[in-house]
Every structure is written in C-alpha cells, then in structure tokens.
C-alpha cells in the first residue's frame, strides 16, 4: 500500500506540535501550561549549556570576597508592603535544580548592604496613607480677654472649658458655642485644664504655681495642691488611678494623690521647664516633655525615669498620646520636629516632617488624624499612621489683632474626634470640623 | 552521760564560737603534733625586730603595731587607704562578638532602665532590620495587663501615700484625761513600818506642748548624685552666625526717649524704633552714570550717521551737478561745432579715445555726423565708429535678452523687478544697512523730555499772554485730586452733562446732589425773572451813570460855578418853595 511511501508519523507529529506551540506561545493562555518536568529539563540543559562556566566565581574573585559565614535561614520578609512576592516560578525551579547555596553577598561589603538598604527603603516607602477629609474652620468664639492657653473637653462631650491669660476659666457649650460659666480664682494665666472622667471635678493649673480642683456641682474650688516652686504649665489626670500629674517651670513633674492632696512623687530629672505632661493607663504611665529638649518616660510606681529620649534638638513643648495605638508623639521647634514613638520602650518610629515652626500643641484622634499647631499660626493635619501631611492651613487671627497674634497655643479633639477646638493668641477659640462631602 | 547524749544528738550545724585566747592557744598546742605543716610567718621575738617589716595582717596576729619598727603599719588593715576599684569598664562583647561600646552608658543605671545609645535608635522603626514584625505592632496592652499594671501601681502609691499621710497626721494626741495607770507597788524590803507595806502609784504621761519647737534639729541629707546623663542622640546645635546674632538682637523695652509709665512696648514697635528696616536700598551712582553715558553715546552715534548721510547726499549731488555740467558743456560744444564755430582746442589737450567714445555715445541722439572731421583721421574714425557700433549692438542685444528674461519671469519676480526699477525695493539696502528712515524733526528730540509736564515753547515773549494759559502743576497737586470737577466738557470729559446737550445740562442742574429737596425759593426776585435762553449777555451801558461826562462837558465849556446864577438861584428858589410849602 501507500503507507510505506509515507514518512514515519512521529517526527511529523513532533514538528507539527512544535509549530502549534510556537504559534500559540505568543498569546497568553492558561491552557498552555508548561509541563513541569519538561521545563525543568529545559532549564537544566540551558544552564549546563550556557552558564556552566559562570556557575562559580573565579578563584581570585572568591578569595577577594572573603569567607562568608553560614547562611542564616532566609526569612520571608513580611514587609508592610502589600504586593506579590518577588519570587517567581523560574527562580524556584532553579533553586531546586541547583542545590548549591545562592551566593549571598557578604555582609562586609558595603555596596551590597547599601543596595539592600535602598531596596528596603523603597519597599517601606510604599505604605499608603489613609484618606481623611479636609478640615475647615466652622466657628470662632471670642470671649476671652487674653491668650487662650488651655482647653479641655468634658467626657460627656456636652461642654468644654478654656483657660486664658485673663485668669478666667470659661465653660462653653460645645454644640452652640455659648458661654455657660466663668470660673475665677486663679491669679495668673491658666495653663492647664482637665476634666475627670470619674469624678465631678475640673482640675486647673496656672502660672501662679497653683493647682486647683473645682467641684463642678458647686462650682467652687475644693482643693489646692500646693508644692510647685514656680508656674505650673501642664496637667494630666491618670485614667485609672486617682492621681494627678502636674509639671512646670521648676523643672519637675509632681504626682499628687487626688483625695489627700499629698504629693506622691516629684519626678525630677529634667533640667529645664517641663512644658507638657501626659498620662496613660499602661507603662510608661507618665510622659513628660521638657525645654531641655528631652522627653522622659516615667515608671510611676517607682517615680524614676524609664527612658530618656534625646532625639529632639529644641525644647519639646507638646506631647500627644494616641487613644488606641500604643504610641505617642512629641514636638519641638525647627525641622523634623515632630516625632512618633512607640510605647513602652520609646522606640523611635518616624518623623512627621514638613511643619517648620515652633509647635505649641499636638492633638490626635482615634481615626488617626493628627494635628499640630504652630506658634506662627500654621496648622497641619497629618495622617498619624504614615506621617503624611494631608492639610496645611493658616490660622486667621480675628480682626483687630496684630499680625503676630496668629498663634495656636492649645488644641484638643472633642470626644467624638470630629471637631477640633483650638485656642490662640488672638484671644479666640476656634472650632474646626471635618468637611463632609 | 553528757558525752553519751552528745553522741546521740546530731552534730551541731554551727560550731560554737570559741573566742577565748587561751582556748585557742591550747588547741594550737594540742593540734600541733597532728598537723603536718602550719605555714606561719615567724614574727621575730621582741628585741630582734630590726630590719623586719610587718606587712601582712598575719604579722600582727591580733595585736597592734610594733612601735620599734619605723615603717607604716596597718594592723587589721586599719588606716590603710582602700585602693579604689577604678572606673575602668571591662570590654564587653555581645553574642556575635561585636564590642559593646555603649556599656558605659548603661553602667550605673537602675536595672530595668532603657538607655538608647546606638545608631539603630535613630533609625525609623519601619527601616530597622534588627526587629521583627511583632515588635512593630503598636497594639495597646490588653485589659488584664492594664488591670495588673494599675493594681501594681496603686499598691506602690498607696504605700507612699500612707507614709506621707502618717507624717502629716498628729501622732500623739494629748489625752485630756491623761493616760493614767495605777500601779500597786510593794517595796521589796519590808522595813520597820507596816504602813508602807503597799502603795498605789498613779502613772501619767507628761503633757507635751503641741506647739513646742522640735527639740532635735532636722538635718536634711544632701541629695544623692543624679543618675548619669543619657547619651545625646542628636547633632549638636549649629552655631549662630554673627548675622543671625545681630538679627536676634531685640532692642530693649524702652522708647528712644523715655518710658515713664513703664509700658510694655510691642515687639514690632521696638523694632520700628530700632530703625532696622528703614534704610532703603542704596543704588550705586554709577548705574545712573552708566545709563547716561550709554544714552549719550547712542545719540552721538545717531548724529554721526546723520552727518555722514548728509555728506554722502551732498557728494552725490555734487557729482550729479558736475555730470550735468559736463553734459551741458558737451552739448554746447556739439552745438557750436554743428554751427561751424571752430573749437579752440588746444593741441596738447586732445581727448583720449575713451573720452571720445563717451562723447560719441552721449551724443548718439544727435546723430553725430563727423563729416567735418579731418581726412587724415579717417581710418581712425572708421575704426572708432565700428567699435562704437559693436558696442551699441551688444548693448541692444543685452537689452533684448533682458526683456526676454523679463517676459519669462513670474509675476512676483516681475513685481520685484519693477519695484527695483522704480527704486522702491529697499531690501537690498536694508541688507547693506544703507536704508534709513527719513529723518524727521521729532527724532532729533531728546526722548527724556517726552512725557513730562513742561511749559510750552519759550518764556521769551512777554507780550504774548500765554504764560499762564495752562496750570503749572497739572494733575499733581492735591487740589486737583480733591476738587476735580466731575464734568468739565472743556477738560475733555465728554460724557458729562449728557454730552453737553441741553436736557443733559438741565438734568444735571436739577440733580439734587445733597438730598436737600428742590429749592422752593431761590434768590429773592429770581422767580420774576423771565426764563433766559442762552448765556447772559452783558451790554455796554452808554448812559452817564455817575454824571461824569456831564461834568467833563461842563468843565470843557469853561463856565464858572460861581457865575452861573440861575443854577444857584434855582436851588435857592427851590428851598424857598419848600419853606413856603411848609408854612402853608
């Protein structure tokens, strides 16, 4: 028959198959899966053919590179980045074929380290900040006769209190912005205010060295905490203990027992005015920022410093503790002046860079909106998680004030975190709110 | 029996201390034979201690110094200066063999204190390679942990508070009744009398004066040394430059004169009084000089160019005139020749061939006939004419060629050509830099004088009364700015008063600018006036108002007042008439 005249079928089929493959290789389709075994064979052949000579470094180069210690187990870097792993199929196959260890760059060669660091840097830079709606000035309350130096919001979110250079503490309705009450008693600027969440008490401190406890049921001073040697600049309440911490110009922070007025500790160690103090429920329970440009984290039980942070170049005037994250931020003057720290050991997290001013106040809410107010009236809103500024504003002083009176002294978010209350050098209280679409 | 008991009992854990000297001596003597070697520095006996130095504590036994040995002795180590342990730190290495250079920062600190001392403490958390992901988490501690911390702290603080309060609370409140106790006392020696067999004693504490000053002075213990300073993890501050220091200098809080009341003067005012920002920028005079000289040079160059152009023009004119003159002379001569007037031609000044050719060509129109040329120059003449003809022919041919070219040219080319012919194409001239605009009188003016207020022309003519016909400072004075008439048609404000039409003007007049309402009564008697049309016209009053003319006429007529009786008589008569009237 004619079958004998036909060429053998196998080579024909092979060529045909090759042709088909070549034709369809260009269009990506999952149906054309490379058979693992064939791929493996192909790769190994290719490696043997083409790269046999360069499988090992030449001897002099090897000698130059020096002995490399035993390989550390290769850790899978779970970077903050979300993205596909760089490992591809090919490299894995190569690794399985070539069971020799991959030439790890020596840790002593600086170039490779540098490149690695750069790579790391690049990968860590890819964290995306979360979106926050912009903030807008919604209300200006002009009622004080002096600089508004302190502000505190009541835990019930019904009213807030401000203390000013006119020695008066005023209590305002948060919703309407109406004055409810004026408390007189201080004989100098009121520098710190706090409303207790567990008592009907308002605490205030001032440059007259006085720390007062007001009973909000009688609107009277019921206690004085006597002991500061100079003006008291900041005040904070412990969230879980009946303790009050004040700090001031006498370079000390003092821990008071709320009920007995006894001074439990003098947290001494700073060498200049302690400008701000903050308390939290877990260690470090007291954090102070001082004009000696250090931040100290205190062991409250022992009354001793746990960590001293000396990263700041200028005096630290403001601190802010995040309500839900175990971290805090501190701010001083100059560039790279706002720093975020991780509790409890005070590890440096990153800088919030871009607000070149003397920072007077910091605030942060639970949604991660971080606010910094400058002495020259610049306001910046940041994303707290990434340190990205998402809004820069200028404080507009009320009409009739000098150009120099555009300064922000104090700020706080209300309990919901949707409004920001600031007090400034133009004697006004300004309320900012998130702009809703 | 005691020994039996001792054997029964277990051996005592602590051997009884035997401190008696004699006992020890006995023991030593007793144990001496049994022990093989006792190394004991032999203290030379008394009297033989010359040259012997007691150094070790053994040399003293339990005793004191040897007075006969004149060396420093420290029995029982007394008085010996303690060799300080030194503040040198031992070199420490970590698990990987790296030297821990920050050991000095850690030493002497409280345990549990964290000292940040390394470069890694400056690295942001996300970039640190020595930490794993769990450390990077910023999770708040759980409720239980918080609770535990709180409890621990509360306990610690309560202890402290209690201590403080106790110090504050009065310890011994003096009992008003007195803490009294009655003790029955029976004396030991029952002496003679029976009456004193037993006594009851009342014990009362002495009442203390609560306001008594303390009997013992409370001495304050000096504060202990502070904890070692932490390593500073920032670069040292940049030194302020002299410029910066100067800028930071803020003048003191007093005015330049006096501040009696001691007012606080704001910073900006102080800075203003300082006059820091008041110096204006001083521009070097040379800039002005430079621009001035540039301007002058420019003008000079223009002037020169103009002069040169004038000169060239003049030269060209001259040349043209000369040529014309030449032609005129030639024509004259030719006419004379034709008329047969022999030309007085000097033999030596025979015209050259070219001259002749030129003449011939120029006289071509005259259809030169050279019939009266002399015979001996005939051949010469023939050659000459032939050449001339050739030349003319060539010229003709060139002309024709040109015409042909022109007929073949495009329109544009032809237009250009025409323009060039009519001397209107100046592109070449521009390219050569020969073209220049016609000089007008204005271009010769100094442009700096433009745009400036100036008095017109000259002041020269006194008679011409145009000196004050325009304001001296037009538009610059305050008056001009304030009292600006809003609608002066003459000033060019054409839109005012309804463009000067009648109803526009009346409307403007009726316009109640100050809201006073329409004036009901104007000037008195103004109502009666007839409505005027057109401007007020004044006419010369020819009547003799003051009787001056009459007076002058009288004066001219030369009558004497005294002589004219009838006038005086008449007056008298009038008076008389009046008197009579009164009487009647």
């Amino acid at each position: 028959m004619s079958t004998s005249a036909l060429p053998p079928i196998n080579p024909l089929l092979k060529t045909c198959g090759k042709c088909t493959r070549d034709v369809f290789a260009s269009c990506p389709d999952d149906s054309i899966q490379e058979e693992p075994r064939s791929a493996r064979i192909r790769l190994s052949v290719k490696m043997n053919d083409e790269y046999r000579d360069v499988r090992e470094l030449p001897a002099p180069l090897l000698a130059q590179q020096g002995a490399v210690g035993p390989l550390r187990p290769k850790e899978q870097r779970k970077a903050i980045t979300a993205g596909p792993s760089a490992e591809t199929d090919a490299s894995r196959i190569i690794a399985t074929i070539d069971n020799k260890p991959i030439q790890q760059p020596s840790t002593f060669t600086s170039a490779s380290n540098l490149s690695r660091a750069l790579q790391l840097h690049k990968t860590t830079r890819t964290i995306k900040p979360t979106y926050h709606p912009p903030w807008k000035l919604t209300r200006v309350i002009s009622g004080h006769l002096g600089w508004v130096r302190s502000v505190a919001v009541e835990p019930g979110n019904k009213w807030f209190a401000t203390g000013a250079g006119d020695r008066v503490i005023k209590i305002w309705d948060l919703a309407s912005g109406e004055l409810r009450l004026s408390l007189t008693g201080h004989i100098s600027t009121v520098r710190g205010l706090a409303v207790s969440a567990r008592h009907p008490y308002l605490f205030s401190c001032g440059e007259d060295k006085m720390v007062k406890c007001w009973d909000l049921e009688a609107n009277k001073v019921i206690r004085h905490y006597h002991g500061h040697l100079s003006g008291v600049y900041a005040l904070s309440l412990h969230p879980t203990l009946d303790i009050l911490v004040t700090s001031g110009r006498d370079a000390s922070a003092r821990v008071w027992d709320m009920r007995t007025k006894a001074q439990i500790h003098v947290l001494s160690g700073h060498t200049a005015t302690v400008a701000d103090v903050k308390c939290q429920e877990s260690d470090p329970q007291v954090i102070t920022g001082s004009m000696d440009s250090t931040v100290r984290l205190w062991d409250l039980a022992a009354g001793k410093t746990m960590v001293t942070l000396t990263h700041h170049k200028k005096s630290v005037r403001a601190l802010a503790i995040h309500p839900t994250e175990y971290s805090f931020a501190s701010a001083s003057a100059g560039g790279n002046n706002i720093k975020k720290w991780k509790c409890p050991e005070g590890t440096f997290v990153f800088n919030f860079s871009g607000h070149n001013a003397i920072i007077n106040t910091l605030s942060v809410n639970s949604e991660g909106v971080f606010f910094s107010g400058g002495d020259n009236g610049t306001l910046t809103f940041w994303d707290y998680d990434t340190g990205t500024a998402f809004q820069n504003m200028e404080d507009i002083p009320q009409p009739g004030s000098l150009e120099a009176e555009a300064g922000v002294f104090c700020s706080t978010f209300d309990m919901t975190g949707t409004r920001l209350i600031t007090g400034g050098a133009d004697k006004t209280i300004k309320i900012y709110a998130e702009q809703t679409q | 029996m005691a020994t039996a008991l001792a054997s029964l009992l277990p051996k005592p854990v602590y051997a009884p201390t035997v401190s008696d000297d004699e006992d020890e001596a006995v023991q030593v003597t007793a144990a001496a034979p049994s022990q093989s070697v006792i190394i004991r520095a032999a203290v030379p006996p008394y009297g033989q201690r010359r040259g012997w130095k007691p150094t070790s504590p053994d040399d003293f036994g339990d005793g004191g110094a040897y007075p006969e040995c004149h060396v420093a002795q420290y029995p029982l180590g007394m008085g010996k200066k303690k060799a300080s342990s030194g503040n040198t730190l031992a070199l420490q290495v970590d698990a990987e063999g790296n030297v821990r250079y920050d050991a000095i920062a850690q030493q002497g600190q409280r345990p549990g204190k964290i000292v940040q001392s390394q470069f890694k403490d400056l690295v942001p958390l996300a970039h640190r390679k020595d930490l794993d992901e769990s450390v990077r988490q910023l999770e708040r501690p759980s409720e239980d942990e918080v609770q535990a911390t709180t409890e621990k702290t509360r306990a610690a603080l309560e202890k402290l508070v209690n201590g403080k309060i106790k110090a504050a609370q009065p310890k011994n409140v003096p009992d008003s009744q007195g803490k009294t106790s009655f003790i029955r006392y029976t004396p030991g020696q029952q002496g003679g009398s029976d009456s004193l067999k037993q006594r009851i004693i009342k014990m009362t504490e002495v009442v203390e004066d609560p306001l008594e000053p303390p009997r013992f002075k409370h001495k304050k213990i000096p504060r202990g040394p502070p904890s070692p300073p932490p390593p500073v993890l920032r670069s040292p501050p940049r030194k302020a430059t002299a410029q910066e220091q100067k800028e930071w200098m803020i003048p003191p809080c007093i005015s330049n004169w006096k501040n009696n009341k001691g007012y606080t003067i704001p910073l900006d005012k102080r800075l203003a009084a300082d006059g820091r920002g008041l110096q204006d920028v001083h521009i070097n005079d040379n800039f002005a000089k430079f621009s001035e000289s540039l301007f002058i040079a420019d003008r000079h160059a223009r002037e020169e160019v103009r002069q040169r152009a004038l000169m060239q023009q003049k030269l060209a004119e001259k040349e043209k005139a000369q040529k014309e003159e030449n032609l005129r002379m030639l024509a004259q001569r030719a006419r004379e020749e034709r008329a047969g007037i022999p030309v007085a031609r000097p033999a030596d000044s025979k015209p050259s061939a070219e001259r002749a050719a030129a003449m011939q060509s120029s006289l071509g129109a005259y259809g030169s006939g050279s019939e009266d040329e002399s015979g001996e120059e005939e051949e010469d003449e023939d050659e000459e004419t032939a050449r001339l003809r050739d030349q003319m022919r060539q010229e003709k041919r060139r002309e024709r060629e040109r015409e042909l070219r022109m007929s073949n040219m495009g329109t544009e080319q032809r237009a250009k050509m025409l323009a060039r012919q009519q001397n209107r194409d100046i592109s070449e001239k521009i390219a050569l830099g020969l073209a220049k605009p016609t000089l007008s009188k204005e271009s010769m003016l100094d442009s700096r004088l433009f745009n400036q207020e100036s008095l017109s022309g000259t002041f020269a003519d006194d008679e011409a009364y145009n000196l004050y016909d325009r304001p001296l400072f037009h538009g610059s004075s305050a008056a001009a700015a304030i009292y600006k008439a809003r609608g002066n048609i003459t000033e060019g404000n054409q839109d005012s008063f309804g463009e000067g039409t009648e109803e526009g003007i009346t409307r403007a007049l009726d316009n109640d600018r100050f809201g006073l309402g329409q004036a009901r009564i104007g000037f008195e008697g103004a109502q009666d006036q007839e409505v005027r049309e057109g401007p007020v016209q004044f006419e010369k009053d020819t009547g003799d108002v003051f009787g001056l003319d009459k007076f002058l006429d009288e004066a001219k007529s030369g009558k004497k007042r005294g002589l004219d009786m009838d006038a005086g008589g008449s007056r008298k008569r009038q008076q008389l008439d009046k008197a009579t009237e009164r009487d009647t």
Side-chain angles (χ1 to χ4, degrees), chain A residues 121 243 285 312 342 346 349, chain B residues 116 125 127 135 153 157 234:
Chain A
H121 189 67
I243 276 175
Q285 297 181 55
H312 279 291
K342 177 186 173 300
V349 179
Chain B
Q116 299 195 347
L125 194 65
H127 298 260
V135 183
T153 316
L157 295 186
R234 58 168 176 263

Side-chain angles (χ1 to χ4, degrees), chain A residues 111-168:
Chain A
S112 61
N113 256 347
L114 186 67
S115 65
R116 238 228 222 118
L118 283 176
Q119 197 181 353
L120 181 69
H121 189 67
K122 217 190 240 169
T123 53
T124 46
R125 282 290 290 279
T126 52
I127 319 166
K128 279 235 172 110
T130 48
Y131 172 76
H132 301 285
W135 288 68
K136 212 178 116 190
L137 180 66
T138 54
R139 178 169 287 159
V140 180
I141 303 171
S142 175
H144 274 295
L145 301 175
W147 292 356
V148 182
R149 296 297 314 236
S150 54
V151 60
V153 177
E154 183 236 355
N157 215 23
K158 290 273 186 295
W159 50 266
F160 66 95
T162 54
D166 55 1
R167 302 162 297 194
V168 179

Side-chain angles (χ1 to χ4, degrees), chain A residues 56-87:
Chain A
E56 283 177 28
L57 276 180
L61 266 181
L62 259 181
Q64 201 179 6
Q65 212 166 36
V68 177
L71 266 180
R72 289 198 198 99
K74 226 180 139 192
E75 71 231 306
Q76 191 76 22
R77 232 187 70 76
K78 283 202 188 71
I80 304 113
T81 53
S85 162
E87 296 253 1

Side-chain angles (χ1 to χ4, degrees), chain B residues 54-76:
Chain B
T55 49
S56 64
D58 289 341
D59 289 342
F60 298 103
D62 283 334
Y66 299 97
E68 63 270 28
C69 299
H70 300 288
V71 288
Q73 302 170 44
Y74 303 103
L76 296 173

